[in-house]
Amino acid sequence: MAGWLFVLSLAAAIVAVYKPFGDHLYRVVTGTRHSAVERGVYRLVGVDAGAGQSWGVYARSVLAFSAVSLLVLYLLLRVQDRLWLSLGMPAVDSHIAWNTAVSFVTNTNWQAYSGESTMGHLAQMAGLAVQNFVSAAVGIAVAVALVRGFAAREAGTLGNFWVDLTRITLRVLLPVCAVATLVFMVGGVVQNLSGGTDVTTLTGGTQHITGGPVASQEAIKELGTNGGGFYNANSAHPFENPTTWTNWVQLFLILLIPFSMPRLFGRMVGQNRQGYAIAAVMALLAVGSIALTVAFEIHGAGTVPEAVGTAMEGKETRYGVTNSAVFAAITTLTSTGAVNSFHDSYTALGGMMPMLNMMLGEVAPGGVGSGLYGMLILAVITVFVAGLMVGRTPEYLGKKIGARQMKLASLYFLVTPALVLAGTAAAFATGNAATALNTGPHALSEVLYAFTSAANNNGSAFAGITVNTPWWDTALGLAMLFGRFLPLILVLALAGSLAAQRPVPESAGTLPTHRPLFVGMVAGVTIVLVALTFLPALALGPLAEGLS
Amino acid sequence: MTAVLEKEPAVKPGLIDPRQFRSSLSDALRKLDPRVMWRNPVMFIVEVGAVFTTVLSIADPSVLAWTITVWLWLTVLFANLAEAVAEGRGKAQAAALRAVKQDTVAYLRDGRELPASQLTLGDIVIVEAGQIIPGDGDVVEGIASVDESAITGESAPVIRESGGDRSAVTGGTKVLSDRIVVRITQKPGESFVDRMIALVEGANRQKTPNEIALNILLAALTLIFLLAVVTLQPLAIFAKAYQTAAPDTAAIDAHGVTGIVLVSLLVCLIPTTIGALLSAIGIAGMDRLVQRNVLAMSGRAVEAAGDVSTLLLDKTGTITVGDRQATAFVPAKGVDLEDLAGAARLASLADETPEGRSIVALAGGEQGPMRGATFVPFTAQTRMSGVDIGDRQIRKGAATAVMRWAGKPDVAIDEIVDRISSEGGTPLVVADSDRLLGVIHLKDVVKPGMRARFDEMRRMGIRTVMITGDNPRTAAAIAEEAGVDDFLAEATPEDKLAYIRKEQRGGRLVAMTGDGTNDAPALAQADVGVAMNTGTSAAKEAGNMVDLDSDPTKLIEIVEIGKQLLITRGALTTFSIANDIAKYFAIIPAMFAAVYPGLDTLNIMRLHSPGSAILSAVVFNALVIVVLIPLALRGVRYRPSSASKLLSRNLLIYGLGGVVAPFLGIKLIDLFVQLIPGI
């Protein structure tokens, strides 16, 4: 009952903010006025805020910005011991620093380290938290550029990356985070610069309890679908996520931007119903996935779950099974990767669902920005296959889907499965999978999960494998890097090719892309073309374990 | 619906001639050459897989290995067969066109004699009665009647003369009378027939833009499944090593999944159905055009036809019958209707023009000469025609001419004449000697069924625009009656061109027909420009299609053929992808149930054994190609309707059907396959 209330109130809240928040996003990215602070930023970076960028320039700006971010974060982690607020932490090992820098710049937040024993406050605040903001803004900016491509008439430019980046950070992420931080502090999340307290426990031992700027980091961790926790235990830690209602707020923040992006899309292409259709596909897949995850966990198969009536292992009693399962589903349906329970301990099939969510390409609703552009690519592919069935060469929102568009869209959906499957196979072929603590199908699931999470920029872990070895740090780092930037370049190239086109006016002969039939088709294509690709691998992991 | 629209195609679609089939079979074998297969990435992968399993079967023979190998080869062969059959049908048609051109001798004006194939652009040839015209060109001197039945199928000879809009002649047609001098306008090997032949011959066929895009998607899918299958091996080895007690099966042993089974999985997952049929669908689409006597210059034009959203149609001959027809007799004051009708009939009995015939038909009676009567034919000077019977002189013709002839203007008649003119009709005044009897109302008659046709177009999202030289008032009246969406009155060639440009600026694709030299710029500008075969070579050069029947209504059919081609492609792609679901359920439990017995839960078809399951999936995958060849050649049934209706219908048949069919098919095949010893 409480579980139902939790889910339904969350859904109702997301539905309620769809319009107002989506409209706010629309105004932010389409407005013509620059605030004084923004003008200052543009002067500092040296950009002409009024100048549009072609897709190539836009892409180079994204890459240049991310490269600098990567370098700065890497250096910060390598020298944190010589800076303030290090709390006496040593410099981060080179391979962990590389992995972590890539992880946060790519909005993945895969954590090959344990926060409270590796990072000082400065590294957390000036390094990781900053990337939490800007990597989220980069994702949204790229999605906006793609939407501009659909909306444009014979245009050569896709807007200005620096303006998008600045505005999204200053007008969307920062204000919402400021409010959310206060809410979390009210809820009991810690927020201080304390170096930690040593306490004597009831049993007489001593324990070092770390404090820090947790609430502020928690806000952007969820809002930016980043997922990198201040503590190793992430959202299961009572200092990060103390109560059921802070848990609710966390999920709300995770879903807020991804589910509002379709509204922005609908507004920008001048047809709100197109936004509703995309939101509907996302909701359809999300509801199905959440329901299955919860069902698998509540009616958990296996010796222990059957004995106690449900699968409680690895879950916090303060959330219970439903709220944990919902969190697991949502954190992987988006590209968040925050966890409030231990996915590795889920029932075999329940643990397969987070994997499957990521394998879908994180499109329901996906990461901030990346969810929308991933979904639009799927819509393009659906239009191409199904659009032919109405007797016209395919078009989406008046833009023809020809050879170039198909080449870019096809490459896009090749990238992540290629990284996941090649990475997993390489781990087994090279013997690196042996670092898994388990054996058999569960070990396979753990390795498959790790690469799925990295390549899709999710960042959650099944855990159970020792990943802070140079091989794993490098392999997963590359998976994150390619998994983020290859699709991103392809999306911008697609945006460029769409923007240059003259739209075909809609008529009775046009494939309607806002009706339930099309919504169902996109969902179907997503499942058949994307999810089923992984079925052979899943058969040897969670399916083998769950169906025995 | 006119007779032309219902005309039966020369070759029944879907029909496969046994003799042609044998030659297609040998073509299919020849296409196994990897250099040819390379053009089709999906089937190339299947061929490579078949070679691989052949090697494995020789190294380690078993019934299962050999059976799967044979079926993999059959899969490739069936794909080649689909293309060969489509080509064969196209070639048969093209060969008929080409046959007439061979062995033609060209007599050049400078006295040389050349085989027709060696003529070059600008050669001047002389063609006399009884000779075959050696190449496409323009008459520069003389007039002749020409039998064009070889390419149009129309037996009545046509007149071709120098200058004007009837100067174009087509190679392969025969001069029946007189002598003409022709300037050759085609480069060798580039006549319409040559280009058409190139479009239906697979080897040299240029892929159309949409075909290229679809091929990219298919290649990407193939790549992704290749990856899924290849990366499965380390995982399978790991699983097998973990389950030490699991027995070795035909599908999996300590070295992982056997090569035969891996290839089977790959072939079943990659989109072989559409990959095999894609080129046949394209060729068959071209072929359907040829069957309707339309020659396309490129496949691109046929695809564009499906996308057309504005049709420019000439009023005369397309929307209206083309000849004005008598629709009413309006008697003058004090004249009986009977008298007027009788006089009009008498005046027209010997008048063989369509107008004359329509007057007789309206008045009632048989056409034919009358004894004792002298027919007075129409001349440009008198502007009237009629008949003299004894001392009765009956005339019908232009109002002013007849009234002047009768010698007395009549205000009442003038009023009738003005009213008919303002309604878009043509008045013919009838006089019996000096008595003005009344007026015949001649009207442009809209062809029966056109209104319904235009409604249909509107539902398909296509705007129809009537082009006419009439004044705006007349044009509006006819446009209203025909039910077109827009009209262009008093249209000059420049107006047409401007209208096309305007539509194209709005992002719409425009199709039009034309025949005159002054239509050439508009034909070139239009996305689909259909030139009439009777038109000038300038027009034919500018357009991207030529209608050998010179029937402007054909444009509507061309649009439908374009749409049908795209729908067939989409439907079979959807079907092919949807098929994968069942194949996963057949093969995955077959591969791994021995290692993890729980996976047998996925064997929802309850297939007999791992071997029979894999073989059944492979056999189904091959047979479905054969089963769908007729559909690929004939095209998916197309009925004009809105996009959303088409989508629901086709999605139900090919999407849902594609999910369900293989479950039934594989199960059925499994029931037979399990009887083979050793499977």
Side-chain angles (χ1 to χ4, degrees), chain A residues 243-299:
Chain A
T243 60
T244 299
W245 78 260
T246 53
N247 197 42
W248 189 97
V249 175
Q250 297 210 339
L251 290 176
F252 174 77
L253 286 176
I254 290 176
L255 295 173
L256 178 60
I257 295 178
F259 258 125
S260 302
M261 290 299 284
R263 173 72 181 181
L264 165 85
F265 166 66
R267 285 290 304 266
M268 285 182 75
V269 298
Q271 292 185 56
N272 284 332
R273 55 188 191 179
Q274 301 289 353
Y276 284 115
I278 292 295
V281 183
M282 292 174 167
L284 187 67
L285 292 170
V287 167
S289 168
I290 292 171
L292 279 175
T293 315
V294 172
F296 284 139
E297 287 309 289
I298 286 186
H299 310 290

Side-chain angles (χ1 to χ4, degrees), chain B residues 71-83:
Chain B
W71 278 97
L72 290 180
W73 280 113
L74 283 176
T75 310
V76 187
L77 201 63
F78 291 157
N80 289 350
L81 193 63
E83 192 180 81

